[in-house]
């Protein structure tokens, strides 16, 4: 009986050690990455600064990437690795601020900034997760952009901050109008080119038809003249 008890004790010890090793291995194994988007829909006005807020967590080092998708196309905003590097696109060089929790701040938004913002958080072990924020940008009237009550003294309108906001608004409006005009002009030019080609084809077909008809008429006339001569 003693050897049997000794075997049982050794088996219990080995089992305990195995469980401890398995638990330690499970704790050291990467458990993926999680992402929280507290505000998935944001409304903003022209020339406003907005915060695209997120919160991610992972056991390893993560790489964060933000992209913007709208009717204008897809653009990569910024990509960075925690404690390593930050790569901001040239179009957003002076407009984006990054934060350690994965959030970014976008300065002086315009109508072109409206759309979908996609964040991708990739862990060093290959696990990744995604999040989406929808940004709606609205225009405002002059007093709304200035954030001033209508009864305020108009001398305050000369301040540099107010002037810069007005300039940003007018530049955005002018840019949107010019883009609409350019698209409309391109559309009209394409329609005009199609109509010109169609008219050319119709004219060519009519010319060939008249030429063929003229040949048939001339041939018929010659045959009638020959018959008359023979008679």
């Amino acid at each position: 009986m003693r050897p049997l008890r000794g075997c049982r004790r050794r088996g219990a010890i080995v089992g305990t050690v195995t469980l401890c090793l398995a638990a330690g291995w499970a704790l050291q194994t990467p458990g993926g990455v999680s992402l929280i988007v507290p505000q998935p829909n944001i409304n903003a006005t022209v020339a406003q600064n907005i915060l695209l807020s997120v919160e991610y967590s992972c056991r390893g080092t993560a790489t964060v990437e933000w992209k913007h998708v709208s009717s204008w196309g897809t653009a990569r905003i910024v990509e960075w690795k925690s404690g390593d590097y930050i790569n901001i696109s040239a179009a957003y060089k002076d407009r984006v601020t990054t934060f350690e929790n994965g959030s970014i701040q976008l300065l002086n938004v315009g109508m072109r900034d409206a759309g979908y913002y996609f964040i991708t958080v990739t862990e060093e072990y290959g696990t990744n997760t995604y999040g989406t924020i929808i940004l709606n940008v609205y225009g405002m009237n002059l007093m709304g952009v200035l954030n001033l009550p209508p009864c305020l003294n108009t001398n305050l309108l000369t301040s540099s901050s107010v002037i810069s906001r007005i300039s940003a608004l007018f530049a955005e409006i002018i840019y949107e109008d010019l883009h609409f005009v350019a698209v409309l002009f391109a559309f009209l030019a394409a329609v005009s080119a199609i109509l010109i080609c169609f008219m050319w084809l119709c004219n060519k077909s009519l010319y060939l038809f008249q030429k063929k008809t003229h040949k048939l008429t001339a041939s018929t006339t010659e045959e009638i003249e020959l018959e008359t001569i023979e008679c």
Side-chain angles (χ1 to χ4, degrees), residues 37-178:
V37 182
Q39 191 175 0
N41 199 320
I42 299 176
N43 296 322
T45 55
V46 173
Q48 183 180 351
N49 301 334
I50 56 100
L51 177 66
L52 303 177
S53 178
V54 297
E55 183 74 33
Y56 80 89
S57 61
C58 63
R59 293 179 180 175
T61 303
T63 301
V64 181
E65 182 184 30
W66 280 91
K67 288 184 179 181
H68 176 222
V69 179
S70 67
S71 58
W72 303 88
T74 302
R76 188 177 65 86
I77 303 174
V78 61
E79 180 182 5
W80 78 88
K81 190 173 183 179
S82 180
D84 192 357
Y85 71 92
I86 297 178
N87 184 14
I88 302 177
S89 300
Y92 295 88
K93 203 68 176 180
D94 301 323
R95 300 181 55 215
V96 172
T97 303
T98 61
F99 300 93
E100 284 297 324
N101 64 351
S103 304
I104 61 172
Q105 185 181 35
L106 192 60
L107 306 177
N108 193 26
V109 297
M111 300 300 292
R112 288 174 59 91
D113 294 316
Y116 297 86
Y117 288 82
F118 296 96
I119 177 176
T120 304
V121 182
T122 305
E123 198 179 28
E124 60 182 337
Y125 301 102
T127 307
N128 54 23
T129 187
Y130 308 92
T132 306
I133 295 178
I134 302 175
L135 175 63
N136 304 304
V137 181
Y138 302 97
M140 297 181 63
N141 56 32
L142 183 59
M143 298 309 297
V145 172
L146 297 178
N147 291 325
L148 298 175
C151 60
L152 198 61
N153 194 330
T154 56
N155 292 332
L156 295 178
L157 297 179
T158 58
S159 64
S160 60
S161 61
V162 171
I163 292 175
S164 64
R165 297 185 70 179
I166 294 175
S167 301
L169 175 63
F170 286 167
E172 185 70 24
I173 294 174
I174 292 173
Y175 183 87
E176 295 294 331
D177 291 341
L178 290 176

Side-chain angles (χ1 to χ4, degrees), residues 184-202:
L184 180 61
F185 179 78
F187 175 76
L188 293 177
V191 172
S192 300
I194 293 173
L195 290 176
I196 291 173
C197 292
F198 179 74
M199 293 177 64
W200 181 84
L201 289 174
C202 291

Side-chain angles (χ1 to χ4, degrees), residues 215-229:
K215 287 182 178 180
L216 290 174
T217 304
S219 177
T220 304
T221 304
E222 289 179 358
E223 290 179 359
I224 292 174
E225 290 178 354
L226 290 174
E227 291 178 356
T228 303
I229 294 172

